[in-house]
Structures are given as C-alpha cells and as structure tokens.
Amino acid sequence: MDKELVYAVWYHRLFGKNKGAKKALGHYKSFEKLYDALINDRDETGYSEKIKPGKLSSFSLFDAELVIKECEENGWKIIPCYSEDYPKQLLSIDDYPVILFCDGKTEVLKSSMTVGIVGSREAVADAEIIARNAAFNLAKTGAVIVSGAALGIDSCAHLGAVEAGGLTVGVLGCGLGSSYMNRIGEFYDKVRENGCYVTELFPHTNASKFTFPERNRLISGLSRALLVACAAENSGSLITAGLAKKQKRRVYALAPEICYSSGCEKLLGEGAYSFYTAGDIAYPMRDLYDEGVFSELWCNKPVTVKGNDVKREDMALPKKKTKTSSEKKASSEKTAEIQPEKKEELKKLPNLSENAKKIYELLGEDAVSTNSLTGLTGLKINQVLTGVGELTVYKLIKQLPGAKIQKV
C-alpha cells in the first residue's frame, strides 16, 4: 500500500481545504512529515495550537487504510494531488482537493481540452435538446465533456458526449457507493464506460444542499471553458460561472437567439461569450487539444432543435402562445394518434435499457405515479426511477407534480 497515500487520505479527511493546514503542509513538504509533527507535538508552524482537542484522534491512519482497501475492492481509484494522474487543470485553482475518488477510465482526466456544460435541472425541453446537441458536437471536435451528473442539462450533456462516441467526466456531489447513486442507476454505467466519475467526498457520503455548491468549483476547475446552457438568474449554474471566471476559464452562455433564459442573458451582459456552435469554443482553443485530436468537421453544425439544416438567421426568440380550446383538442388528438408509433420509435433507440422499455410499454394515456410502476412492472423502485430518468431524457415521457409521469 502506498504509504504517502495513507497520509494523504488522513489529511484529506481531517483538514480538507483548510487554509491553515495547507500552509503547514507547504512547510513540511509531505503529508507524512506533517502528520509526524502534529501527532508528536513537534509542529514548527504554530498550526497545531488551532486544532480542536480530539480532532487528530477522530480519524487514524488505520481508518485511512480501510478507506483505501474499500476503494481497491470496489475498483475505485484514489488519485492524490502529487500523482501524475491528477488533472493538471485542477491544480491551477487555489482550493483543489488533496485527493480525488474516481470510478471509470481515469486516463480521461489527462485530456488537455475539457469543456464544462451546466444548466438547470428543470430546463425547458428545447434547452435540454440543445445542450445534448452541443455536447455531441463538442465531443466530436475531440473535447472531453464535464458536467455534474444531475438531472436536466447535466444528464443531457453526458448523454450527448456518449452518443458522439466521445469522453465525459461526471463530477459528483456525493461519495462513491452512496445511496444517492441509485438515482443515476444504469445511466451511471454509460458514463463510466465512456469516461469517469470524480468526487472529493469519501465513499458513502450522501449528497446535501452543501455538497453540490462545493462540487461546482471542481466542474469549472476541471474545464478549460464552461458553457451555461440554460439557467435562472440566481441559480447554481451562475455560481459555477462565477467560479469559472475567478479560475480564469472562458465562460460561454447559450445565445438567446437559440434558446432564451434569464440567467444566460445576465451572463452575456456581464461579458460571457455567446455560444451558437461548437466552433465558438473549439476554434479559439484548438491549440489546447491533444495532438491529432482536434476535428473541425462538427464545429459549425447547428445545435438547434430544428436540426443541422437550420441557418442562424432563421432562429428567433421563443414566443409563448396560448392555445385555443380547439387547438388543444387537435393537439391531444394528434398525440393520441402517434402513440402506437412510439413503440416502433422505442425499438430504434439502442441505448435505452430493458427496464425503460418495460415501463414505456405499460404506460397508457393517463398519468401514473412512479410508485405504482413497481407493482405494474415488478421492478425495484431504484430500477423504476432509473428507467423514468432515461425516458425523460429521450423525451418519451414528461414528469408531472405528485411524482407522476405521462407519455408525451
């Protein structure tokens, strides 16, 4: 077992991003020497006087060894900041984590060109499609797509990269093996097979309202450029954009001509770059791509919901229109007419899991609760939630208040 890694895990658990501890670490140059100074009361920096009684004994080297062993048994990798495998972009931020817990193809973290894509968890359908197309096109240029592995824009960004045959990194707001991971389900494997997940949180640490804002600095820190695809004015995505600016990353916001959101409008007013196509990010940063990776074929492909044949001058701000009762009825009748075709469409989606297909085939026109699907399908609740998540991403269903879903 790597001896220095044991001390690094010990340090990370007790001190994390503590500035005083980091300063003391800078004095001793190694985690082992800092440990020896603090444990044996030989500290020369004065930091030991600020440590609360009992803190040093709350997590031992033996505990650290157990964490390392558990990660090894689960195939999870621990990457310390002194390792050559630690992402260089992340080292450039002031509060980088001492260690990263990773699951998947960690070599993707060595990529020189990474693009973060963030946005609302409850974005409008058009924004989700555009985020997915943007991720697809950027991945085709050779960029690695970084996002937060959450619902909405995040999952669309990861999915777009996977569909492009590209690479992606999911930054978690929880620990590996935590119960929160059940919400990701089978989608987790798709991302892991095409990249990796990273987190600074110890295994089994559950997500909370504090862990997600903390992980945002890692999304921007791992990225050379950050694209905000859709956001409200006071959303977490704008916080991530603010962190990206402080970290000297290029910040982009989806152009309002493509899809309007108040958060993106605010960012553009504050100096963010407008995003229309993958080339807006890829061309200015093409020298950052690993040698022989950059491809400009997809740089100028539109990312709009209308498809690649739409010209920029054809785009307009979305306008809300109130339907008349007759229009609503016609729309309802049209939807009812195409329902039988959905099954055929379903068969053409190779990435859809069997659980998702099973759920879809059982759905009728009426809304049903996700809880009732466990009895109807015989699936476990986590399998139902995973299937519902997939169907939502593919726009085959919509989620309604009261934990209900309905066919689109």
Side-chain angles (χ1 to χ4, degrees), residues 144-355:
V144 173
I145 304 303
V146 181
S147 198
L151 295 175
I153 296 297
D154 286 10
S155 59
C156 291
H158 291 304
L159 186 61
V162 170
E163 290 175 331
L167 299 171
T168 187
V169 176
V171 186
L172 299 172
C174 63
L176 297 172
S178 72
S179 59
Y180 185 84
M181 301 307 301
N182 291 335
R183 299 189 182 187
I184 302 177
E186 293 177 21
F187 184 72
Y188 184 97
D189 293 328
K190 292 180 183 179
V191 172
R192 186 167 55 110
E193 290 165 4
N194 291 270
C196 74
Y197 286 94
V198 300
T199 179
E200 65 181 325
L201 300 171
F202 276 71
H204 310 298
T205 302
N206 279 322
S208 73
K209 63 180 181 180
F210 303 107
T211 58
F212 286 110
E214 280 289 300
R215 69 92 197 259
N216 288 349
R217 81 187 196 287
L218 303 186
I219 295 175
S220 55
L222 283 165
S223 307
R224 296 287 190 178
L226 182 78
L227 168 62
V228 178
C230 178
E233 281 194 55
N234 298 310
S235 66
S237 299
L238 265 63
I239 294 174
T240 307
L243 292 168
K245 288 178 68 175
K246 289 181 180 179
Q247 296 165 351
K248 296 182 174 21
R249 274 46 173 169
R250 292 174 72 98
V251 177
Y252 292 78
L254 197 63
E257 294 93 335
I258 297 178
C259 186
Y260 176 81
S261 73
S262 58
C264 287
E265 182 181 50
K266 182 178 180 180
L267 287 175
L268 292 169
E270 293 173 351
Y273 296 93
S274 294
F275 180 88
Y276 290 94
T277 66
D280 293 324
I281 293 177
Y283 277 132
M285 309 184 79
R286 58 188 178 276
D287 291 339
L288 292 176
Y289 284 76
D290 295 323
E291 187 175 354
V293 171
F294 176 65
S295 172
E296 62 178 330
L297 181 63
W298 290 82
C299 282
N300 295 317
K301 298 280 188 180
V303 298
T304 60
V305 295
K306 294 182 180 180
N308 292 339
D309 59 336
V310 177
K311 297 179 181 179
R312 188 175 302 181
E313 55 266 28
D314 294 332
M315 303 172 192
L317 283 172
K319 296 180 180 179
K320 291 185 178 180
K321 181 181 177 182
T322 303
K323 291 184 179 180
T324 64
S325 58
S326 60
E327 286 176 325
K328 289 180 180 178
K329 182 179 179 181
S331 176
S332 176
E333 290 173 350
K334 183 179 179 181
T335 301
E337 290 172 1
I338 66 172
Q339 292 304 322
E341 299 174 5
K342 284 292 185 178
K343 289 186 179 181
E344 292 303 316
E345 178 185 342
L346 194 61
K347 294 176 183 177
K348 298 177 183 178
L349 297 174
N351 289 326
L352 208 60
S353 69
E354 290 302 316
N355 290 343

Side-chain angles (χ1 to χ4, degrees), residues 7-16 97-99 101 200 202:
Y7 289 104
V9 171
W10 169 85
Y11 174 94
H12 186 64
R13 181 57 175 263
L14 292 185
F15 303 109
V98 164
I99 59 176
F101 296 95
E200 65 181 325
F202 276 71

